[in-house]
Amino acid sequence: MVGVTLALLLAREPGLAITLVESISFPPLEPDAPLPYRPSFDARNTALSRRTVSTYRELGLWDDMQLHATSIHEIHVSERGHFGMSRLVADEENVESFGQVIENAWMGLVLLRALRQCSNVTVRDGVTLTGIRVQESHVSAELKKGDESFTLSAPLLVAADGANSPCRELLGVNATTTAYDQVALVTTVATHLPHDHIAYERFTESGPMAVLPLPENRRAVVWTLPAGTEQPLIDCSDDEFLAQLQAAFGKRAGRFVKTAKRFAYPLALTVAQTQTQPRAVILGNAAHTLHPVAGQGFNLCLRDCLALTERLAQRHREGGDIGEFSLLRDYENARIDDQHNVTSFSDRLVRGFSNNTPGLTLLRNVGMVTFDLLPAAKQALARYAMGLSH
Ligand SMILES: Cc1cc2nc3c(=O)[nH]c(=O)nc-3n(C[C@H](O)[C@H](O)[C@H](O)COP(=O)(O)OP(=O)(O)OC[C@H]3O[C@@H](n4cnc5c(N)ncnc54)[C@H](O)[C@@H]3O)c2cc1C
């Protein structure tokens, strides 16, 4: 999602030629046919902040994206079995929504079609990267498609190849990884009550849980569990899973009546030791992979994409070298505070709410009640979650 979004942002700059390399094979898309949407109970979803939505609007993609997205009008934060509760309401913050939840599969199709329509973007899918050579005037990527090997050269390589980034390794950049000893169990459910555009962030004994509104009255569940406890919840019958979910979440959202398959993702905080080198930038999850508890990972990456695009476009317009190290360092320096704030906010949220020491439980519940009574603090957090302030 990050690599494609960056390519689309850069493609607006006339004269820049972009090649997107992806190891999986993309589905074929007819240029003028409707996108093949399959309503799914199994889809993974992403909560997009207002800032992210407005970027896709500027790219002319939001009309298509919103066909299968749902707005968030309220955010309820609470701790299961305790009195603390806080509520953020869009109306009270003078916005019509805090953001939108979209199915990744649909968003991917919209992005992909847009990419195929850009005359200055070449898409090379089904291709694996095998080597990188950095030289003074350019960088070369050695690639393989089936039995065919070939090399691409450019003034700049952007590595947006995920948390286990092969590019990062080939560039010789270390990353620190701190395992949370948790997994995110992800699924889609339905309740007997309408979702009313409410997003729940619920801190349970097993770990934080997000229940987000989706189109057609479905809800996305991201349930953090101690690593090793997820398999029985994946293998059990749907009825058994629904009963366990209800017991963990409580009744705030109504009765859970339907569930899809469950998938588990191991969770770790991964941070690259540097994000820039001569002729290379490390971006997206390859640069920083966060706990999904606050739904901020992709939104943060998108702000990185905007900052990088601005610098590359300006340098290109001036006729300069877009792979020059000082330009790339300037990008990294400009982004480091926001990245650090979001990373440590998500990390502290997980650790603070995964600790059941009685004094701490009381403290955070008092904290939530106090927070609920402080309009200025709520406004600050709401602006932060919407991606409008750092
Ligand atoms: C359960 C869960 C829920 C989340 N929810 C939210 C949310 O609500 N809001 C939010 O903002 N963020 C959320 N996130 C975070 C978000 O998913 C990530 O920030 C985002 O996926 C990062 O995208 P990326 O493109 O950097 O990496 P990836 O999605 O990992 O993409 C990397 C790409 O590189 C390709 N690739 C890998 N190796 C090679 C190679 N050698 N050659 C060529 N291509 C290669 C891969 O095939 C892949 O397509 C969530 C994450 C999880 C786990």
Side-chain angles (χ1 to χ4, degrees):
M1 295 198 312
V2 175
V4 175
T5 300
L6 180 75
L8 287 168
L9 287 166
L10 290 173
R12 293 191 298 183
E13 185 61 24
L16 266 185
I18 302 128
T19 300
L20 182 113
V21 177
E22 167 58 54
S23 56
I24 60 161
S25 298
F26 290 138
L29 295 176
E30 297 298 325
D32 299 317
L35 287 172
Y37 175 69
R38 284 177 222 92
S40 162
F41 239 76
D42 289 350
R44 257 188 66 183
N45 309 281
T46 300
L48 306 178
S49 70
R50 284 179 72 80
R51 175 89 184 270
T52 302
V53 169
S54 66
T55 300
Y56 287 125
R57 193 170 276 130
E58 278 163 32
L59 282 170
L61 302 179
W62 186 246
D63 284 352
D64 280 340
M65 283 191 181
Q66 75 169 0
L67 293 174
H68 302 291
T70 299
S71 50
I72 299 175
H73 297 169
E74 285 187 35
I75 305 174
H76 291 196
V77 184
S78 60
E79 184 165 6
R80 171 93 173 108
H82 297 277
F83 59 89
M85 143 91 182
S86 188
R87 209 163 137 251
L88 295 168
V89 181
D91 275 352
E92 290 171 10
E93 307 305 330
N94 299 317
V95 290
E96 94 291 346
S97 76
F98 287 116
Q100 303 267 344
V101 189
I102 189 165
E103 292 178 19
N104 288 11
W106 175 248
M107 184 168 152
L109 285 176
V110 174
L111 292 175
L112 209 52
R113 182 169 65 181
L115 206 60
R116 293 241 160 96
Q117 288 164 348
C118 293
S119 56
N120 53 346
V121 179
T122 308
V123 177
R124 303 295 307 254
D125 56 336
V127 167
T128 311
L129 178 92
T130 55
I132 296 175
R133 262 184 311 127
V134 180
Q135 278 153 324
E136 198 167 323
S137 61
H138 65 279
V139 51
S140 302
E142 284 145 26
L143 302 156
K144 210 165 186 292
K145 180 164 188 166
D147 294 335
E148 181 206 357
S149 296
F150 58 100
T151 303
L152 289 178
S153 295
L156 176 67
L157 171 103
V158 179
D161 51 350
N164 300 319
S165 172
C167 281
R168 195 179 60 210
E169 208 179 311
L170 288 166
L171 288 165
V173 174
N174 290 328
T176 43
T177 296
T178 317
Y180 283 112
D181 293 325
Q182 292 179 333
V183 295
L185 188 105
V186 178
T187 191
T188 306
V189 298
T191 51
H192 86 293
L193 294 176
H195 59 54
D196 287 337
H197 299 270
I198 300 173
Y200 293 93
E201 191 73 59
R202 195 105 160 99
F203 293 93
T204 74
E205 266 181 23
S206 57
M209 188 189 288
V211 176
L212 308 172
L214 283 178
E216 293 135 30
N217 207 32
R218 293 165 300 151
R219 299 181 195 239
V221 173
V222 182
W223 185 0
T224 313
L225 293 161
T229 63
E230 69 279 13
Q231 208 54 44
L233 288 166
I234 293 173
D235 295 340
C236 68
S237 69
D238 287 359
D239 286 346
E240 176 58 24
F241 174 74
L242 291 168
Q244 300 249 22
L245 179 67
Q246 195 83 63
F249 183 83
K251 295 186 184 139
R252 269 166 203 269
R255 214 163 3 93
F256 292 106
V257 293
K258 188 173 174 190
T259 179
K261 273 192 195 165
R262 281 76 68 186
F263 299 92
Y265 298 85
L267 298 177
L269 171 67
T270 299
V271 180
Q273 276 172 3
T274 177
Q275 295 167 41
T276 50
Q277 287 211 327
R279 310 221 162 270
V281 175
I282 299 170
L283 196 71
N285 269 11
H288 40 68
T289 305
L290 321 184
H291 196 291
V293 60
Q296 291 293 320
F298 179 67
N299 294 305
L300 175 66
C301 297
L302 192 123
R303 298 200 288 278
D304 293 343
C305 289
L306 288 170
L308 183 60
T309 302
E310 192 186 309
R311 282 164 181 78
L312 298 181
Q314 163 103 20
R315 179 58 63 93
H316 174 70
R317 265 175 247 142
E318 291 163 0
D321 178 0
I322 60 166
E324 195 201 316
F325 189 41
S326 62
L327 176 77
L328 308 179
R329 286 300 297 182
D330 174 51
Y331 152 76
E332 182 171 356
N333 291 337
R335 292 300 303 143
I336 209 78
D337 283 353
D338 186 21
Q339 293 173 355
H340 181 74
N341 289 344
V342 174
T343 305
S344 52
F345 172 73
S346 303
D347 187 55
R348 270 184 267 145
L349 204 60
V350 181
R351 294 186 194 282
F353 277 91
S354 301
N355 186 329
N356 294 320
T357 311
L360 195 63
T361 307
L362 178 67
L363 195 66
R364 64 186 175 235
N365 276 274
V366 170
M368 270 193 279
V369 172
T370 315
F371 173 80
D372 203 48
L373 297 171
L374 294 173
K378 284 169 76 166
Q379 191 186 43
L381 185 72
R383 287 187 60 76
Y384 183 71
M386 289 186 281
L388 301 179
S389 77
H390 305 158

